[in-house]
Amino acid sequence: MQDVLKKLEKRREAARLGGGVKRTEAQHHKGKLTARERLDVLLDPDSFEEWDMLVEHRCTDFEMGKNKIPGDGVVTGYGTIDGRTVFVFSQDFTVFGGSLSEAHAEKIAKVMDRAVQVGVPIIGLNDSGGARIQEGVDSLAGYATLFQRNVLASGVIPQISVIMGPCAGGAVYSPAMTDFIFMVKHSSHMFVTGPDVVKTVTHETVTHEDLGGALIHTTKSGVADAAFENDIETLLEVRRFFTFLPLSNREKPPIREAVDDPRRLTESLDRLVPQDSAKGYNMKDLIYKIVDEGDFFELQRDYAANIIIGLARMEGQTVGIIANQPLVLAGCLDIDSSRKAARFVRFCDCFNIPLVTFVDVPGFLPGTAQEVGGIIKHGAKLLFAFAEATVPKITVITRKAYGGAYDVMSSKHLRGDVNFAWPSAEIAVMGPKGAVEILYRKTPDHNATSNVHIDEYRDRFANPFVAASRGYIDDIIMPHTTRSRICRSLQMLKNKIIETPWKKHDNIPL
């Protein structure tokens, strides 16, 4: 018995050492934590239960049979964050560069399967050189088994990917199918083909950072949802983000005890919207002032900034925020913002998170680049997402709501539950000037009377009263009461039930 226990402890110690002291030091020298150190930061103290610590690869080619390390380059198991269960895997770059073998993939697949079965999220900490070349097609098969599980888990449990090192080739597609991707600045990279392959094929010379660094994916590609300065900040922010999420689609989001008065009034909001409708203002000022304690977790902040998305709480309840941003492209919807918001709306609907939408949108961004790029289909994604969503939907029109963009932004006609407008709201087919140019273009001496016509159009249509008179707006509210009205509406809608026709699945315009 003692001999067995000694052998057990020896193997466990080998697993804990990973690739050894030198490789651990190299990891630290790069400013990166090891796989186990990362889990210590992510999870509650002493909550981690490790699985498959002694698993080893089964490859014998290329003398791999002589080179085995217990755990095989990934640490898997479950623990808690703020007392709530979560399954995790953390790839160990010190062991075979974190490369994925058949056994490595089996370990990850096991925790993914169990996470779906028990109904809790899974968080993957990715730090891998990719497929283990020595195992050939077995490694590729391992990736495919994980892809299939990502698809089966989608909409059932939240899936979060944290890119903490390299993530290349086929490895990128598993994170791409998860709900959220977080990266570490300067030390994490994602790309389908690396700089060497790019140079060979296209003769372009590019660095890892410029090809697939955190800055690229949070500002230009939109692949990542956020990036943070280092491993510790990233993991602490993932912990914070986790507190907003339900454990699965079988339950509602967590509710915290509300310490911020839900009836709180914010007088400064009465002065937020400028008198001049051509002037911008920061929609984030509205969001931070009405959510609980100003705590707003914004996603994709630097990508398609003309629309804002993120999670917050209202009276302790998690809500998804979608808002046009007048400071960027005047708040117009375009290809990137439509895709960005549509995916977020669908996530919230999957996991029973109510949607609160703030509207100041003059329309879709015009131009040949948008039309050739497919704005029709991409804009339809956001329209489709809002229309199919069955969670509580509350909309507040702060200023402009013109044309088809008015319809798209969670209007009453897309089963919006409660639709408010501020007195400054302008709900019309288009802006007064553009409308007058069309309506009176054949009228003699139109230019001489254009300002009169503009004023007439504004008085008749560019206000919230016509929409309110038809029931498209439930009430015209004072801005300072916005928080109170939203909180009351959320309470009223908390037991909302809606039935839809049976279908295998929808066919969103991808």
Side-chain angles (χ1 to χ4, degrees), residues 35 55 69-75 90-101 104 107-108 127-128 132:
V55 165
I69 298 175
D72 202 39
V74 64
V75 183
S90 181
Q91 292 180 312
D92 188 349
F93 194 78
T94 70
V95 178
F96 307 122
S99 60
L100 187 132
S101 68
H104 183 124
K107 288 181 64 173
I108 297 174
D127 190 357
S128 170
R132 194 169 300 174

Side-chain angles (χ1 to χ4, degrees), residues 362-405:
F364 284 91
L365 185 66
T368 55
Q370 290 292 307
E371 297 294 349
V372 172
I375 183 60
I376 295 171
K377 280 269 188 168
H378 293 294
K381 293 174 184 176
L382 182 55
L383 169 60
F384 197 107
F386 270 126
E388 74 170 343
T390 59
V391 293
K393 294 186 286 190
I394 299 169
T395 304
V396 180
I397 300 173
T398 61
R399 190 168 62 178
K400 298 173 184 175
Y402 291 164

Side-chain angles (χ1 to χ4, degrees), residues 56 94 105 125 146 179 214 216 251 261 266 277 316 326 330 351 382 404 411 462 503:
E56 297 174 343
T94 70
L125 309 184
L146 301 185
D179 297 303
I216 293 297
E251 65 174 50
D261 183 3
T266 310
S277 64
F351 293 103
L382 182 55
S411 64
K503 64 180 78 173

Side-chain angles (χ1 to χ4, degrees), residues 422-433:
W422 284 5
S424 51
E426 302 174 11
I427 306 168
V429 174
M430 62 176 62
K433 189 176 187 300

Side-chain angles (χ1 to χ4, degrees), residues 34-36 38-39 73-76 88-92 123-125:
T34 65
R36 294 178 185 278
R38 287 165 175 166
L39 291 177
V74 64
V75 183
T76 61
V88 293
F89 67 85
S90 181
Q91 292 180 312
D92 188 349
I123 299 176
L125 309 184

